[in-house]
Amino acid sequence: MAQFWNKVFLTMIIILIVLFLDAVREVRKYSGKEISANAKLQPNMFDHLNMKLFRAQRNLYISGFAVFLWLVMKRVVTLINQLASVSNTTAALQAQADGANQAAKKYMEDNELLKQTLMEVKEGTATAEGIALLRTEVEKLKEELKTSGEALGKSQTEADVIKKQMDGLAREYDRLLTEHQELQNLRDSGNKKDD
């Protein structure tokens, strides 16, 4: 749809430019006319030339203004499109920043809690609850590390499988290309024998 409308707008600007150039030609044509000796024979000739000049100037102004407005509208549409894309990008970046902010706050709170527990351990007044909290936190982080490692291993094996498939497809494509070339050569040699 966008390509179709681009062609329509391009056709419109070409038509407007042609009309503008025609109006310029008409203004030049009627601006250079002088009243000749025949004007005495036809008394309305002066008025007729001025009327033609007025119409040519009117057409020039209208077509020139239309070309100018088309250029302004094209620029406004371009700016609106850029604004829309920047707005979408800004919204996505804002959501990402909010998520990072919340994660940072959570990690800061966890860090403060761990510091407090560590200080209590150093002072010897560590509570069983604080130590249990540290142990659960360590276990949770170990589990996250383990799942991340498994996901990384899985993605690497998938990448290897895809690479092997791609290599196989490339070899098959090369084989088919050589077969096609051989068949082409056989057909060409058959055509030459027929001649």
Side-chain angles (χ1 to χ4, degrees):
M1 205 61 179
Q3 291 179 352
F4 172 74
W5 285 111
N6 283 336
K7 289 178 183 177
V8 168
F9 281 126
L10 183 63
T11 305
M12 287 171 45
I13 192 63
I14 289 171
I15 291 170
L16 288 174
I17 289 173
V18 168
L19 290 173
F20 180 75
L21 293 175
D22 183 54
V24 168
R25 184 186 60 84
E26 289 287 319
V27 167
R28 283 188 180 174
K29 177 179 169 183
Y30 292 116
S31 293
K33 293 272 184 170
E34 293 293 326
I35 298 177
S36 62
N38 291 339
K40 293 179 182 177
L41 298 175
Q42 298 175 353
N44 291 335
M45 181 66 114
F46 182 73
D47 292 336
H48 186 69
L49 285 175
N50 281 337
M51 180 188 66
K52 293 268 189 182
L53 179 62
F54 171 76
R55 287 181 180 168
Q57 288 173 340
R58 179 199 61 195
N59 291 342
L60 175 69
Y61 296 144
I62 290 172
S63 60
F65 192 67
V67 169
F68 174 74
L69 283 180
W70 184 88
L71 292 173
V72 168
M73 284 177 34
K74 185 72 173 172
R75 181 66 181 152
V76 166
V77 167
T78 303
L79 290 175
I80 288 172
N81 284 338
Q82 288 175 354
L83 181 65
S85 66
V86 168
S87 177
N88 288 340
T89 305
T90 304
L93 289 175
Q94 183 67 35
Q96 187 178 10
D98 289 342
N101 229 0
Q102 290 174 355
K105 284 180 184 177
K106 179 184 171 256
Y107 290 135
M108 286 175 63
E109 290 172 358
D110 289 346
N111 192 18
E112 287 296 321
L113 184 61
L114 288 174
K115 280 183 183 178
Q116 286 177 352
T117 310
L118 190 59
M119 291 301 283
E120 289 175 1
V121 168
K122 284 184 180 177
E123 293 174 358
T125 60
T127 61
E129 183 180 308
I131 293 172
L133 180 64
L134 277 176
R135 285 186 180 150
T136 56
E137 190 70 28
V138 168
E139 290 298 321
K140 185 168 71 169
L141 290 174
K142 283 181 182 178
E143 286 296 320
E144 286 180 13
L145 182 63
K146 184 179 176 183
T147 56
S148 298
E150 290 173 357
L152 178 64
K154 184 187 268 187
S155 64
Q156 285 178 344
T157 56
E158 288 176 1
D160 291 340
V161 168
I162 289 173
K163 186 176 180 183
K164 287 178 184 177
Q165 287 177 350
M166 187 178 70
D167 291 340
L169 285 174
R171 277 187 260 114
E172 183 67 19
Y173 177 75
D174 291 339
R175 186 187 65 78
L176 288 174
L177 192 62
T178 55
E179 284 182 15
H180 175 71
Q181 186 64 35
E182 290 172 1
L183 289 174
Q184 191 76 17
N185 292 340
L186 286 174
R187 194 188 89 199
D188 289 344
S189 66
N191 287 344
K192 288 180 182 177
K193 289 179 183 177
D194 290 344
D195 291 340

